[in-house]
Amino acid sequence: MDEDQGANGTFNITIMKDGQPFDAFNVIPNRGLNEAVVTVRVENSSAIDFEKTHNITFQIVAQEINTVEGRSGIATITLIINDTNDNSPQFVPSNSGTLFVKENAEDGTSVANITATDADSGSFGTISYKLRGGTNEFEVINSTGEILVKNGSLLDREQRKVYYLTLEAIDGGGLRNTIQLKIELNDTNDEKPVFQNKLYTAVLGENEVDKTLVTVLAIDSDEEGTPNSDVEYNISGGNEEGHFEIVNLNQIAVKKPVDFEESGGSFNLTVTAFDKGEPSQSSTVQVIITITDKNDNNPVFDRCPSVSISENTTYEYNVTNVRATDNDEPGSTNSDILYRIDSGGENNFHIDANSGMISVLKGATFDWNVKKEYNITILAIDKGTPTQYSPAGNCSVIVTITDTNNKPPEFNPKVRMGEVNESAPVGKEFFVFNATDPDESAQLVYRLIRDETTAEDVKGNLVNDTYIQGLFAINRTTGQVTVAEKLDRENVTKVILTILVEDVNALETQNATGKLEVTLLDSNDNDPEFKEVDGAQFIPPSTYLVNISEGALVGTTTRLMKLKAEDRDEEETIKFNISNTDIFQIDSLSGDITLNKPLDREMDENLTFTVLAKDSGNPQRTSTATVYVTVHDINDHAPKFQDPAPGISPPVSVNVSEDAKMGHPVYDVNATDEDAGSYGYVMYRLTGGAEDKFAIDPNTGIITVNGTLDREKKPSYTLTIQAYDNHDAEGNSKSSREQIEVKLLDINDNDPYFDKMMYNAEVFEDEAIGDSVKQITAKDDDVGINQVITYSFNPGTNGTDYFTVDSESGGIFVNSSLKGHLGKYYLELNATDRGNPPRSNTTNVYVDVKDVNDHKPVFVALEGQISVAENATIGTKVTVINATDEDVGSNGDVTFSITPGSNQESSLPFNISRDGIVRTNGTLDRETKASYTIRVEATDGGEPKLNSFKDVTIYVRDVNDKPPVFARNTESIMVLEEERSNNSIATLTATDEDENAIICYFIVGPLPSEEVKRVFNLDKTTGELVLRKKLDRESKDKHTLVISATNICDQTPPDTNFNEASKHLMKLEVNVVDINDNSPQFKKKSFTAGVTKDSEEGYEVLSLKEHVTDLDIGNNSILTFYLDEASVNFSAGLKEELNNTVPFAIDPNTGVVKTSVYFQAETQGYVDFHVYVNDTGGKSDYATVSIYLVSAIEQVKIVVIGNKESFKKNRDSFAEFLSNVTGAIVTVDKLLTHEKIQGAVDSGPRTDVYIHAVDRNTKKVLTSKALIRLLDQNVDKLEKFYTDYLVVEVKEYEAVQPTNSPLLEPLKLGLMITGLILLLLLLIIIAMFFTARRKYQRKLKAATALSYDNHATYIGAPDELNRVDPVPGTNLHTFEGSNPIWLEQNFENEWPEEDEADVDSRSVESNDSNNSLDDNAIKDTEEGFGDERYMTSDLMDDFDHKIPPSQVANSDIYLMAALKEHEDTKHMNNLNKEYGRDDPYINGVIPDGVNHRISMNSDNSYNDLGEFTTFDPVTGTLLLNGMQTTEI
């Protein structure tokens, strides 16, 4: 109000604050006259913010407007602001983002602490938290916002990887805010790799290399792309030899060849799959690898015994059995062995081809006198391909022919004399009492007839005691007589033995007896025996005990004892000797033992030595006795003090406390005396004074305290101790003395003391901890440890928190900061010595702490996280920085500024006012930069100025302005087929640059998406993809999905196809991995095939693999075949004909059925069996196979247009159609390429289809004629068949062999040989005709021959063989039968053809009557095959030597000529060796590669007559001019 009137009372009313207009409020009215009631209203509500200020002070000013003075009045109003709930909780920006927790986290594990702030106060600012999202896995602490694991057992990353939760913060007024949480489970290595198959199998051929066998696969469901799911493999078992290895991560391959025989036929490998997690998880699987055999082993004999048989052995006697083994697969043809005699049997022995039993042939004869031994070479052959033979010489059976035993043994003479020394040891051989037996096979055995043994003693009396029967023994095989028991001539001097010999090989008993008279020779066999003597105790048989004084004199005057010994032997003289001592000596004849050296009992109280008694016999015998001597003592040693310790000699120094009580032990004196008894008993006494302080026990030597001790008066004493022995005999006592120094030990009996009773010190408050304040020292008159002082403060004073004292030195130091702790402090210093018990004293110490100016500004901690929205405008207030300073006045005034930091940008979008308000100063973008750090400097007003720094981080809050994207928009995963429904197969993750962005996932394609949505389900919040139903790879092996990621979760996006440019789309390819869920299946359950009887072993009959399907792929479709031998069924009689052998085998890998035997031409019938097919997972199927043995007359050939390969796909339908038409079982046996008839028009490739038919009822094979009739009967039904299959001809079987058949050449060769034999027979008949004619002509010539000139007709002929030259043109011995080769009964060679010599002789014969007759060149060749000899003859008609007919008729001229040629040939071979040709025949030819004919000259040189000789390696003979040699 204004009491002035009129204009002077008019005033304006305004609101001012701190002298400035204040627009937060306004007044009504704003002008008054004299008096006005003023209403204050809020004009700017933002200025009234409890969170900014709790009260506002402003002034209402009333000022005159019409006066010069302009008087005014002021009313100050303080407005108290009450808080209202106008702020919702705000989450700290740092809480955003993805949270992580391990999948094996236990209940109560903290995941994160998510906090929110509320600017309101009181209950409005109190925040509680709760989780929304319906999860049982996590929970939140209501009051703190800490996220915890609620049920850790429900966490499994492999089932669910991500959780999306909503955390809600609610203040006390009901305002709330939420934040989206994404919790990802961190993988732990809790899953083992799981193999896709429980068992893997593979087949490997023997010695195969560089082959991959099987692929193993194990899947680890831990997080993909981490070590936890990274699986590696190794072979952990069954591969000790290192045959296999892992290649290409998970493939098992052959590292080195496998030998079937060493492997046992299979390997059972253990493969371990292990991940790289910590700790590593692993699992194993068995891999069975079957090894197929290869015929790579020769049969080897392991039993090839040598035996003996009697010469009267007869037909069918089993001589012995040989046995060979083949390391190839047991039970297969590769190891099936046949036996045959290769040589040496000489038609006397036979061997069973299967069993190897050697037996005597019918008609065989053995003569021990003619041949005593047969060396039979046996050959073993297996049935494998290629055939393997036993090594040469591997088995030679020596059969020894034994004589028949029929003559008894005989002693000659029957009675014999022998002698043996009675000292002979047991086992001594002294006589051989042997017998003879003329039989070769005799086996003589000797024994004693003990009850006929007699004996005599020395006096000739009979000794009737059974022990004499065991004195001797005889070797049962050699007849050696030996000593069996110890002999004693004094009891027995002569023994008569009866000896029986028997031939144990005789069929009937054959024996004889003889007598051996044994005389025992005497020997020195009794030892001297010691006897009892005077002066010694005798313990039989050889121990003496004797006593002697140690003062005994040396020499013969003192006798210890006199020895005595006797000998049972007669006339024996005994001498004595002493050993093991030099103290005594002995008379060798009398046995007197005397002292040789002085005795010292203290050195040796007991003496032992040995005496020896020897007799005079030969060999000399001895006995020993032991003498034990006890030495009695004399007093010859004084007591001797023992040193207190090694290396320490008297006087001894000992310590004793000065407060020791009466009787306290001081020292234990110990003296010894080497004498015994009273001489060695030591007693003690003290001498030399101090007896009033100490005493000694006379018996034990223990020195004790005997009075009061005081170290301060006398610190030590010297004691003299006397030790003496034999105390009862004064005149015979010895003594010794020793001094001991006793030092008194101090005790703690003085207190420490200080120089002053009080000490003063000053210190400033800025002194550092550890700085010295005062040094104070106390003293103690005691010595040693009692004088050592320890310092400490007594508790209870006001300075002990700030000061400390050094316990050793007494120095006082600052212990804690003195800043702000000004004033005086009182301490009580205590000094304590280390005596026991300790003694102490105290003094007072006063410390004055003085002040300094030393405080810097201190920042006030900011509440919560500082953040600002990324779309905040320039000038937006961000936060307020506060700081305090403990100094007062200007020293406590603080101002703020932003100063550059070490990692701070040069330009920041923020500034700060002097009073600490931070505002935005530029634009923000969280995606570009999510936070900023500014360094704030706080400076006080003191001098010098003190400042502080604080880094403040400002977070830019996100605004949702970015779409989610996939890191890769094309992904591929693998899923096992038959994976159970509702199983998680993948978790899809997109990213969003926005913070706390919620991403949802939808299946949107490919169009239409309904199909994939029926198979897959996608959790829109987690991105977890699960199966709605099981997958079947065989139906569909790949599924494609189009996934969309979006922030809009409440609306399903429209279906669309994949567009690579759209980053929120992902194309996911789900590849279905095969499992072994399909069994292999035969396309039909029965198969029929035929095989001709001339098929070779190993002929491929039927291939089954092409008739099997398995819908699985890869390793799951690898097939193995085997023939079930238990199911084999033979037609009647066939099983016995094949010797119970299954005639077919199947290749386990290819499924090809092959023959395993050779069939005989007369073999007929069929074989049924089951064939099983297995895959690697053990799934199987089987089919029945029927194979018929057919012959040529049972096959029909059908010629079709096209090649074999094109026809094979129609082979089954071809046979099936014919079977349906004919009613029989028609089988295609083989396909051959049709051979075009020469000259025919080429009409393209054709195929010959060979078929046979079986009657369904009788199961017999129809003849080809019967099958043709069936076809003719159904010709109307076959018209279309012939057209469809391009049949051009149907006819009966023609015997056509394939060009590559190995039997073709032998057949041709046989036909050629047959033709040659017929031709040769014709030539022989013609030759015989001409030979007869020529023989008649020569006889006519010989009848007119004249004799002249006596001389030898050939080089080397015997001297007595002198003949005259025959008349020219004559030869008496050129008719048939005169050649010795023709006389050989076993000659098998062809008749010789005429050669040039015959022609020449005939041509000359007509022109020259003086022509010599034909040459008979006889030559033998030494073969390198043992001792057999071969001879060849050119068989010429004319003999060129002139022989008188009268001498030739009865001579051996031809034999001598052959032997001469044999010697010449040996010489020729020696020449070959001289020229380096060690072997005359190499691979069938003479070493130089050319066959030569050589003639020998009289000087042993030779002429090369050109090529003519060929060696046949098959027969082992030479061919001379085409003629085989023969044996002589």
Side-chain angles (χ1 to χ4, degrees), residues 1444-1480:
S1446 59
Q1447 296 181 11
V1448 171
N1450 299 315
S1451 72
D1452 56 355
I1453 184 172
Y1454 293 102
L1455 177 61
M1456 297 302 294
L1459 294 177
K1460 177 62 173 63
E1461 288 296 315
H1462 167 66
E1463 294 298 325
D1464 294 341
T1465 302
K1466 286 177 62 178
H1467 179 67
M1468 179 189 70
N1469 286 337
N1470 290 335
L1471 291 176
N1472 286 341
K1473 292 180 180 179
E1474 291 178 8
Y1475 288 108
R1477 300 171 179 174
D1478 294 336
D1479 190 348

Side-chain angles (χ1 to χ4, degrees), residues 548-553 599-602 605 631-638 673-680 725-726 732 734:
I548 189 172
S549 172
E550 77 171 313
L553 299 178
L599 298 175
D600 187 351
R601 188 204 64 79
E602 288 71 31
E605 184 177 1
V631 181
H632 289 176
D633 186 38
I634 62 174
N635 191 15
D636 55 349
H637 291 87
D673 193 313
E674 295 181 6
D675 293 323
S678 61
Y679 298 146
D725 64 13
N726 201 14
N732 192 21
K734 294 181 181 294

Side-chain angles (χ1 to χ4, degrees), residues 1002-1013 1016 1036 1038-1044 1054-1059 1065-1069:
F1002 297 92
I1003 298 176
V1004 296
L1007 295 175
S1009 63
E1010 287 75 12
E1011 179 182 352
V1012 293
K1013 291 178 181 178
F1016 302 96
K1036 189 171 183 178
K1038 183 166 71 173
H1039 300 265
T1040 302
L1041 292 78
V1042 178
I1043 310 298
S1044 174
D1055 289 352
T1056 181
N1057 284 323
F1058 175 70
N1059 182 0
L1065 295 180
M1066 172 191 283
K1067 182 172 72 173
L1068 178 66
E1069 292 185 346

